[in-house]
Amino acid sequence: MNPIADLLSADAIYESLKAGMGAYTPDFELRYKAQLAAEINKLKKERNAVILGHNYMEPALFHTVPDFVGDSLYLSRVAAETDADIIVFCGVEFMAETAKILNPTKTVLIPSQKAGCSLAEGITAADVRKLKAQFPGVPVVTYVNTYADVKAETDICCTSGNAVAVVESLDSDMVIFLPDMYLAQNVARETGKTIIFPEQDGTVNGKADVIGWNARCIVHDKFTVEDIEAIRADHPDVKILAHPECRPEVVDASDFSGSTSQMIRFVEETDMPEYLLLTECSMGDNIMAANPEKNMLRLCSVRCPHMNQIQLQDTLDALRYTQYEVTVPEEIRVKAARSVQRMIEIG
Ligand code: 13P
Ligand code: SF4
């Protein structure tokens, strides 16, 4: 629970933003954002709303209005337990949709309709049906970064925080793991399994323990081993953390790999001269604002254009105008809910 999320005074919010971000953010910007945050916190109370914020939100939003912040797994858990009437999801569409899948009677809002995800857009329900027809009876694991109709075709969901545990929980030598190509390769390696990918038309020629798919995250796809070598040449003591949506060779060349919250925890619990996160760059800013003594190297060009759609003004408008409401057809929701619930139960 974030204590700033209850503050109604713009001055008090400004003071807290200044303490974390004052060294590198102009004062008028902090005052403007504090004012927006105070209006959001007031409206949130009046409407019995809860705001969930993903770790990739920009620092002024991340450190003010969300009642809960975290990775996809944690936010799914919080969404499953909230008793608020309205859930405002400061994250991307598949995350808000997951909250709706778990809360059919609540109003779930996403502050921008442009917050998609290249992984979720990389696979359709028809693609999953085609794979299932080729491998009848083989359990299907899908990353939560998918839309509800894909989750509905699935036996169990996973996130980057529990993918290995989910695969290991299945009593099956073979598994279909969708849709992130690199996450599937990273999980296959960690569980000692072989992996194969379908042809362009979805046909799988051959057999392996894991049947993957070819979607990739446009953000994590950008990092290369050459980037890591160049950074280590200039910063020999740097600790490099890679999200498991990065290529396997990038994960190999890094010092740690984990979900967004696992990466944050690693930085907070260790004491290294410098850190570099191979993930959406707002996370480094968020860590610095909360831990000014941490020295974070930054790759500012690597922003998720989808996460970046969600700003304080959009969040205020979401509460003011009850926009944009997330809906999922009931027949799909019921099936998708089984896969999400099963994941939550595993941990
Ligand atoms: P986490 O589940 O690690 O928060 O990641 C979500 C995501 O979209 C990463 O790009
Ligand atoms: Fe999707 Fe990648 Fe953005 Fe995460 S960072 S929301 S996986 S596009």
Side-chain angles (χ1 to χ4, degrees):
M1 197 78 189
N2 165 24
I4 312 295
D6 282 334
L7 292 183
L8 302 180
S9 145
D11 285 344
I13 297 175
Y14 162 79
E15 289 304 333
S16 108
L17 284 178
K18 188 150 180 74
M21 299 162 58
Y24 53 89
T25 316
D27 218 46
F28 72 89
E29 165 107 352
L30 295 180
R31 288 223 177 262
Y32 167 68
K33 292 198 166 172
Q35 186 59 45
L36 286 175
E39 288 175 48
I40 292 168
N41 285 349
K42 182 165 168 276
L43 214 47
K44 191 171 62 174
K45 243 190 176 62
E46 283 169 18
R47 305 207 57 193
N48 189 28
V50 65
I51 298 185
L52 309 185
H54 186 261
N55 289 327
Y56 288 165
M57 292 294 102
E58 62 95 6
L61 188 159
F62 183 83
H63 286 293
T64 54
V65 297
D67 301 281
F68 300 92
V69 289
D71 62 8
S72 318
L73 181 60
Y74 175 70
L75 295 178
S76 307
R77 289 215 174 97
V78 174
E81 286 166 12
T82 182
D83 54 12
D85 295 325
I86 299 176
I87 300 171
V88 181
F89 214 116
C90 291
V92 291
E93 190 183 337
F94 74 81
M95 295 177 178
E97 214 186 49
T98 304
K100 182 67 184 179
I101 288 167
L102 294 165
N103 291 283
T105 60
K106 294 188 197 300
T107 301
V108 177
L109 304 176
I110 182 156
S112 166
Q113 287 178 307
K114 293 187 193 147
C117 169
S118 68
L119 284 173
E121 276 134 39
I123 191 161
T124 66
D127 294 330
V128 185
R129 284 194 289 272
K130 187 163 182 178
L131 285 173
K132 288 203 293 190
Q134 293 175 78
F135 298 96
V138 173
V140 182
V141 179
T142 56
Y143 197 25
V144 281
N145 298 39
T146 48
Y147 292 123
D149 56 344
V150 167
K151 289 187 174 83
E153 295 290 342
T154 298
D155 294 290
I156 184 164
C157 288
C158 74
T159 72
S160 58
N162 65 3
V164 168
V166 165
V167 168
E168 285 179 340
S169 76
L170 300 169
D171 193 17
S172 173
D173 293 336
M174 261 186 96
V175 54
I176 299 173
F177 189 103
L178 311 169
D180 185 345
M181 182 177 184
Y182 299 144
L183 180 65
Q185 286 175 315
N186 287 323
V187 169
R189 270 184 349 166
E190 219 173 314
T191 53
K193 292 183 184 296
T194 55
I195 183 162
I196 193 170
F197 293 95
E199 305 294 326
Q200 206 86 49
D201 67 354
T203 309
V204 181
N205 293 317
K207 225 177 155 193
D209 304 327
V210 180
I211 311 295
W213 190 251
N214 53 16
R216 280 168 291 187
C217 161
I218 49 168
V219 174
H220 295 91
D221 200 17
K222 288 193 177 137
F223 301 114
T224 63
V225 173
E226 290 71 44
D227 294 336
I228 295 181
E229 285 166 356
I231 288 157
R232 287 206 198 277
D234 287 344
H235 300 267
D237 294 331
V238 68
K239 275 278 165 205
I240 300 185
L241 289 72
H243 193 274
E245 288 171 15
C246 293
R247 300 157 198 265
E249 59 270 27
V250 166
V251 169
D252 258 357
S254 303
D255 300 299
F256 176 83
S257 178
S259 79
T260 53
S261 287
Q262 289 163 345
M263 293 164 101
I264 293 171
R265 210 169 308 129
F266 182 96
V267 175
E268 288 180 343
E269 290 175 358
T270 57
D271 185 16
M272 301 294 166
E274 284 178 316
Y275 298 90
L276 174 73
L277 307 182
L278 299 181
T279 195
E280 214 283 346
C281 83
S282 279
M283 250 184 51
D285 298 344
N286 290 337
I287 295 176
M288 270 193 335
N291 309 271
E293 78 289 358
K294 297 281 176 186
N295 191 2
M296 311 297 295
L297 294 181
R298 308 185 55 259
L299 295 176
C300 308
S301 58
V302 190
R303 289 289 280 129
C304 172
H306 306 290
M307 291 282 184
N308 207 17
Q309 294 293 330
I310 311 290
Q311 303 290 332
L312 284 165
Q313 182 67 58
D314 311 292
T315 308
L316 178 58
D317 289 345
L319 278 166
R320 253 187 202 151
Y321 308 119
T322 317
Q323 66 186 26
Y324 297 94
E325 193 164 351
V326 177
T327 56
V328 180
E330 185 59 9
E331 192 190 315
I332 288 177
R333 189 200 68 76
V334 170
K335 289 192 198 153
R338 276 201 294 265
S339 308
V340 178
Q341 281 292 4
R342 213 175 144 195
M343 167 189 86
I344 288 176
E345 278 152 28
I346 286 193

